[in-house]
Amino acid sequence: MINRVLLVLTFTLVSLQLPASELKVGTGSESGTYYSMSLDVEDYCNEVLGVDRKDQPNVLVSLPSGGSLENLTGLKNKKFSLGWTQEDVLMFLSKSDETSFNQNRIKIVTGAHLETFHFVIPKKWKPKKGMLAKIVDFSDSGPVDITMLKDQSVGAWGGSLISLKEINQSLDLDIKVLEIPEDERTNPKMPFLLVAGSPSTKVNELTASGKYTLLPVQTNTNSNTYKPITVTYGGRTFPTIAVRALLVGKSFTKKSRNATMNSLATCISESLIDLADDPETDPNWQSVFELEDEGVASNWSYFEVE
């Protein structure tokens, strides 16, 4: 009899612990900015996301991934409900697959920090033609206009490859874009683009090795997507450009299906100053707060902040 009562009590307790409805978030590497910031959003906003259609509580679950491109394709194939990405990667996919990546089906939950364009050059590399061929020493050159990359072969991989393709198209640069094979990414032999938050651990390692330097790049473009910034590596300041990082999610035509995303967007907006000030959150939230305070916004559509 006692065993039977215990069995009933155990079943009752288990049944009361309703399984959560996981909203999987595509991030990046576990050591990266996207993953760190996503965990912060979990901590601040998991309690306000309501329930799903089966009355199970919605919770964010941040998952490591290959970054921007994988996160967006994960939204398309239902691997993720949300994903961190770069604005230019989203723009590129909206041109190549407008059916899947348009402003009705994908919306911004929040704008994030700026991701820096690091044009990394091997110090022994010498361009054989074009305007860059006139530069004797790239480790001590002044700023060059981004149009001087015309006719040069520039490598990249992952989301940075998409960024390179997008800026090449949108600014009509006529760069020869190449994907660097995985086994050559540790020590590339050609100029390459690495888009990442600054300071980048990878760029720090490369410049500290003495084998690579950054190309100081400037542009007069009025593009809303690319912003001029300066970054510092090895005690030297480099002008370059940056693109906004975004947290995006799937949007539905039925308004009630967007309630969770609207609640998340509202929570992040209302928590932004705390996310920026909290000593335990990612330091990039300070940049997000400043950009939002300045009214910097994407031309892409947003979920509603209630």
Side-chain angles (χ1 to χ4, degrees):
M1 181 66 178
I2 294 176
N3 289 338
R4 188 175 177 183
V5 171
L6 289 173
L7 181 63
V8 171
L9 285 173
T10 301
F11 176 80
T12 302
L13 288 171
V14 171
S15 64
L16 288 174
Q17 295 175 348
L18 295 175
S21 176
E22 294 185 348
L23 301 175
K24 296 177 180 178
V25 188
T27 61
S29 68
E30 290 185 78
S31 61
T33 299
Y34 287 164
Y35 187 77
S36 173
M37 295 179 75
S38 198
L39 292 180
D40 294 336
V41 174
E42 283 185 32
D43 290 341
Y44 270 77
C45 297
N46 259 352
E47 295 180 358
V48 302
L49 300 182
V51 296
D52 69 1
R53 286 174 291 179
K54 297 179 181 179
D55 287 330
Q56 296 175 346
N58 292 314
V59 295
L60 300 173
V61 178
S62 300
L63 300 175
S65 77
S68 292
L69 183 59
E70 182 181 331
N71 297 342
L72 287 176
T73 55
L75 291 180
K76 177 181 177 179
N77 61 30
K78 298 186 179 182
K79 179 180 179 180
F80 301 127
S81 299
L82 302 99
W84 295 83
T85 190
Q86 295 151 206
E87 185 174 8
D88 58 341
V89 176
L90 178 59
M91 296 297 182
F92 183 87
L93 291 185
S94 71
K95 298 171 188 174
S96 59
D97 185 0
E98 186 177 358
T99 302
S100 302
F101 301 99
N102 60 66
Q103 299 197 43
N104 293 320
R105 302 188 71 178
I106 305 289
K107 291 187 177 181
I108 298 172
V109 176
T110 184
H113 58 289
L114 293 176
E115 294 271 279
T116 301
F117 276 54
H118 301 90
F119 287 96
V120 185
I121 294 183
K123 285 189 175 181
K124 293 183 178 180
W125 176 76
K126 298 294 182 184
K128 296 180 180 179
K129 61 179 180 178
M131 298 182 70
L132 288 184
K134 299 177 181 179
I135 298 176
V136 177
D137 184 1
F138 285 102
S139 63
D140 193 34
S141 70
V144 301
D145 193 275
I146 196 169
T147 57
M148 292 177 68
L149 290 170
K150 178 181 174 65
D151 295 329
Q152 303 298 332
S153 295
V154 181
W157 62 88
S160 296
L161 179 65
I162 303 302
S163 291
L164 185 57
K165 290 180 178 179
E166 172 62 15
I167 196 170
N168 193 34
Q169 289 182 7
S170 62
L171 300 186
D172 195 24
L173 298 178
D174 202 19
I175 294 172
K176 295 178 181 178
V177 177
L178 300 174
E179 181 172 10
I180 297 178
E182 189 170 355
D183 60 351
E184 297 178 13
R185 295 172 187 174
T186 303
N187 297 294
K189 301 295 190 295
M190 67 171 69
F192 67 96
L193 174 65
L194 181 63
V195 183
S198 178
S200 160
T201 301
K202 174 71 172 177
V203 175
N204 263 326
E205 291 173 352
L206 289 168
T207 54
S209 72
K211 298 177 181 179
Y212 296 87
T213 187
L214 286 182
L215 182 68
V217 171
Q218 62 186 14
T219 176
N220 294 321
T221 178
N222 292 320
S223 169
N224 187 59
T225 305
Y226 304 107
K227 316 292 182 188
I229 64 166
T230 57
V231 294
T232 302
Y233 287 93
R236 182 182 170 193
T237 299
F238 297 86
T240 186
I241 55 176
V243 65
R244 190 88 187 264
L246 307 169
L247 175 60
V248 300
K250 289 293 294 289
S251 177
F252 300 89
T253 54
K254 189 175 182 180
K255 289 187 175 181
S256 61
R257 295 284 286 117
N258 292 326
T260 299
M261 294 296 182
N262 292 338
S263 295
L264 178 58
T266 301
C267 174
I268 295 174
S269 177
E270 292 178 346
S271 304
L272 203 50
I273 190 167
D274 289 337
L275 285 163
D277 290 343
D278 191 335
E280 297 182 2
T281 58
D282 190 283
N284 279 288
W285 284 111
Q286 180 62 40
S287 170
V288 181
F289 174 75
E290 291 170 359
L291 289 167
E292 292 295 309
D293 192 50
E294 293 169 7
V296 177
S298 169
N299 290 330
W300 200 266
S301 58
Y302 285 72
F303 283 105
E304 296 178 11
V305 174
E306 300 164 345

